[in-house]
Amino acid sequence: MMAYTLLNYIQGKNGSRWAQFVRETGTDSMLIVAIDAAKYTHKAIICTFYGDVLVKPFEFDASMTGLEKVKEQIRIEKDRNGMKEVVVGVETTGHYYEDLVRRCQSEGYHVRILNAATTAQERQALLNWSKTDNLDLMAIVQSMIHGRGTSNELSVGDVHNLQKLTRARRVLVGERTSTENLIRVHVDHIFREFQGKSIWVNGKREHVSPFSKLFAKAPRYLMRHSLHPSDILSLGEEGLRELSIRENLKLRDKTIKILIDYAQNSISQPKEFLEADQFLLRLELDRLDLLDKQIQILEREIEDLFIQTEGAVILSVPGIGVVTGAELYAEMGDISDFDHAGQLIKMAGTNPIVKQSGGKKPSYFGVSKQGRRTFRNVTYQVGRSLAVNNPEMKQKYLAFKERGKHPRQAYVALGNRMIRLAFSMIRNQTLYRTDQPNYVLFDELSKKLRMPNVKRFYSNFVSSTVCQSA
């Protein structure tokens, strides 16, 4: 029993299920179908569990007509060879594999989903560095024979929608960052010193900027309407004060004086030579406004959806905001597929690499990075947030630093700790427990949620938690 438990821990629940499926079905009764998914035309091969090819690689279109062709080939070979079960292996190529997986599952086939990194390792094991569709198919077949891949169903319902929304937000945030970088370039051309410059203060060189945040309301208004040094000088101190009052920019006297000083000593070109930059800057500012609005709308949608899920219970943890919590829950998916949190950490690829043999003490290296990259990125960001905003986690972060851990290592360790905590909280539907004297659940939620959703949280979790305790 102990050996089985250890093997189950190493393989994970999916590995144990696969081994049981193979034993019950029998290798002689399994028809293996490997599919290399693409946007318009898929490719498939049909063979036995031992790798004997029954149907050579053939193409089929990415629609129902193509799937019917595959089903017909499967039916013929299944009847001809007396097979009981059909196992379909599909490589995770972009999002093109998803419809195939759902359709094959609805047909009653046993579907194995394989990571592209797994098939790449299979090709390397065969000492073959080439990459063709046919080689990909054989790599998928070999990976299935060796029991690799997962039989998890694709996420559906709220989890699936939340995953799409949070990933879409991450894309928009990336686009916003790129847009901000382009704006900085145009601002450098029009008014180089607007973002600050180095000056001597008490014998030391310091960077002094007129604004603490370049993309706040006041600097955005000036970038759009009066960015060039000549514009600043024509307004003067009184003009800038009047503008600040009229547009509610809240420009401080210190900021106004810095702007005037920098404008008087600017190295930028005359305004008439910068028409293209000014035009492009306005376009990028329009784009930035649009992205901000879209992100805001998306975040409200994420909040409204997340609060309806069982994963919203992790919002009671200080340092876990709506977006961070929603991303973590969406990437974890349906936790009923896992026996313990260690399997989720492995899926994220943040599990440490351990090397041990010959009775020697184990050595720990970096993380494996063999799981889902999106999950791994979220785990890191979660750890980073907890290190700053959660008093108890901050103490653990400082303890990691004292032991000589790099901040990034500490963030990953805290992220893994949060996965374990979230796994327990979601499975048992329990709230965060802490000895911190200043912790008040209502105050913690009020910082993160709109008031209607705070009430919804109390309705969904607090009353049920009290009932469970009673």
Side-chain angles (χ1 to χ4, degrees):
M1 179 67 182
M2 184 177 178
Y4 171 77
T5 303
L6 176 62
L7 185 62
N8 185 50
Y9 183 89
I10 295 172
Q11 292 186 133
K13 198 168 184 178
N14 288 312
S16 299
R17 283 180 186 166
W18 170 250
Q20 182 179 359
F21 173 79
V22 172
R23 282 196 301 270
E24 292 177 352
T25 306
T27 54
D28 292 329
S29 300
M30 292 170 56
L31 191 70
I32 301 294
V33 182
I35 299 177
D36 186 17
K39 185 175 179 65
Y40 298 113
T41 306
H42 306 316
K43 202 164 190 178
I45 188 173
I46 301 177
C47 58
T48 68
F49 185 84
Y50 303 105
D52 300 323
V53 177
L54 301 176
V55 179
K56 293 181 180 180
F58 62 94
E59 294 181 343
F60 63 99
D61 62 274
S63 65
M64 282 303 298
T65 54
L67 186 61
E68 290 296 331
K69 178 180 178 180
V70 176
K71 287 167 56 180
E72 179 63 19
Q73 290 285 356
I74 290 174
R75 186 190 62 76
I76 293 172
E77 296 304 323
K78 189 178 178 182
D79 293 343
R80 180 183 297 165
N81 296 280
M83 302 293 190
K84 291 194 300 183
E85 294 286 350
V86 177
V87 182
V88 178
V90 186
E91 187 181 71
T92 56
T93 307
H95 59 274
Y96 306 133
Y97 73 100
E98 295 178 359
D99 289 329
L100 271 174
V101 170
R102 292 191 180 94
R103 289 290 181 177
C104 288
Q105 286 174 339
S106 68
E107 292 295 329
Y109 303 150
H110 187 95
V111 180
R112 301 287 290 177
I113 303 173
L114 295 130
N115 191 294
T118 302
T119 55
Q121 289 177 352
E122 195 64 48
R123 285 195 301 273
Q124 291 179 18
L126 296 172
L127 300 180
N128 193 331
W129 296 95
S130 301
K131 188 182 185 307
T132 65
D133 289 343
N134 289 351
L135 287 174
D136 285 345
L137 288 172
M138 292 308 302
I140 293 172
V141 170
Q142 291 299 318
S143 297
M144 293 166 65
I145 292 172
H146 294 151
R148 299 190 179 98
T150 173
S151 298
N152 285 354
E153 292 188 7
L154 297 176
S155 57
V156 294
D158 289 343
V159 174
H160 177 67
N161 293 333
L162 201 57
Q163 191 177 84
K164 282 200 167 185
L165 291 175
T166 53
R167 289 183 178 181
R169 180 194 171 276
R170 188 172 283 263
V171 170
L172 289 180
V173 170
E175 291 180 7
R176 181 171 65 182
T177 301
S178 299
T179 302
E180 289 176 348
N181 290 336
L182 288 173
I183 289 173
R184 291 179 187 274
V185 172
H186 294 306
V187 170
D188 276 343
H189 290 155
I190 299 170
F191 185 0
R192 180 64 176 270
E193 297 79 9
F194 189 78
Q195 299 181 65
K197 70 176 185 178
S198 296
I199 63 174
W200 288 95
V201 179
N202 298 325
K204 294 182 179 179
R205 186 172 290 279
E206 294 183 7
H207 179 82
V208 178
S209 176
F211 305 99
S212 58
K213 296 181 179 179
L214 182 62
F215 297 101
K217 180 180 178 180
R220 277 204 198 192
Y221 183 89
L222 292 175
M223 282 190 285
R224 186 179 290 278
H225 300 286
S226 305
L227 179 60
H228 194 266
S230 62
D231 297 329
I232 301 295
L233 293 175
S234 63
L235 285 169
E237 290 190 24
E238 289 302 319
L240 286 170
R241 288 192 184 94
E242 292 175 2
L243 180 66
S244 177
I245 294 171
R246 186 176 72 246
E247 301 295 337
N248 193 27
L249 301 181
K250 298 180 181 179
L251 291 173
R252 298 180 178 179
D253 288 343
K254 181 181 178 181
T255 299
I256 291 174
K257 289 180 180 179
I258 292 175
L259 282 172
I260 295 294
D261 177 47
Y262 287 1
Q264 289 173 339
N265 299 283
S266 178
I267 197 173
S268 297
Q269 298 182 71
K271 189 174 181 179
E272 57 268 23
F273 298 133
L274 299 167
E275 291 181 358
D277 279 294
Q278 293 178 85
F279 174 75
L280 293 173
L281 175 61
R282 287 193 293 272
L283 290 182
E284 295 300 336
L285 286 170
D286 289 341
R287 186 166 183 242
L288 182 61
D289 291 341
L290 176 62
L291 287 169
D292 283 341
K293 185 177 181 181
Q294 290 178 332
I295 291 171
Q296 185 180 19
I297 294 171
L298 201 49
E299 287 177 350
R300 291 174 71 93
E301 189 72 18
I302 289 170
E303 178 185 332
D304 291 339
L305 180 59
F306 185 35
I307 200 67
Q308 299 174 34
T309 68
E310 62 179 6
V313 71
I314 65 177
L315 287 173
S316 60
V317 180
I320 299 297
V322 172
V323 173
T324 308
E327 286 185 322
L328 179 61
Y329 174 66
E331 294 302 329
M332 289 172 63
D334 184 1
I335 64 171
S336 64
D337 283 328
F338 303 92
D339 291 324
H340 54 83
Q343 293 164 346
L344 281 167
I345 292 171
K346 184 178 177 182
M347 186 171 74
T350 53
N351 54 308
I353 299 172
V354 184
K355 294 186 178 181
Q356 184 273 331
S357 65
K360 297 180 180 179
K361 290 184 177 180
S363 298
Y364 296 87
F365 297 83
V367 297
S368 68
K369 295 186 179 180
Q370 292 182 328
R372 294 207 307 255
R373 184 174 61 181
T374 51
F375 194 2
R376 188 160 56 252
N377 290 341
V378 169
T379 303
Y380 176 84
Q381 294 300 331
V382 165
R384 191 173 181 179
S385 176
L386 291 172
V388 177
N389 302 305
N390 187 302
E392 292 169 325
M393 293 291 192
K394 186 174 183 179
Q395 292 302 316
K396 297 186 184 299
Y397 170 75
L398 294 175
F400 283 127
K401 292 287 293 295
E402 289 177 2
R403 286 163 51 189
K405 297 293 184 182
H406 190 278
R408 292 180 181 176
Q409 293 175 306
Y411 294 150
V412 171
L414 291 181
N416 286 343
R417 194 177 188 87
M418 184 61 215
I419 290 176
R420 295 188 184 95
L421 179 61
F423 180 81
S424 176
M425 291 175 67
I426 295 170
R427 183 176 60 180
N428 301 315
Q429 287 296 281
T430 54
L431 298 173
Y432 182 67
R433 297 173 183 173
T434 177
D435 296 328
Q436 292 294 319
N438 298 326
Y439 178 84
V440 178
L441 178 61
F442 182 83
D443 295 341
E444 185 66 31
L445 295 174
S446 298
K447 293 186 293 186
K448 304 171 182 178
L449 299 169
R450 307 194 306 278
M451 189 51 62
N453 284 333
V454 173
K455 294 178 181 178
R456 191 171 289 119
F457 183 97
Y458 267 82
S459 174
N460 292 345
F461 300 107
V462 179
S463 58
S464 62
T465 303
V466 171
C467 291
Q468 287 176 12
S469 300

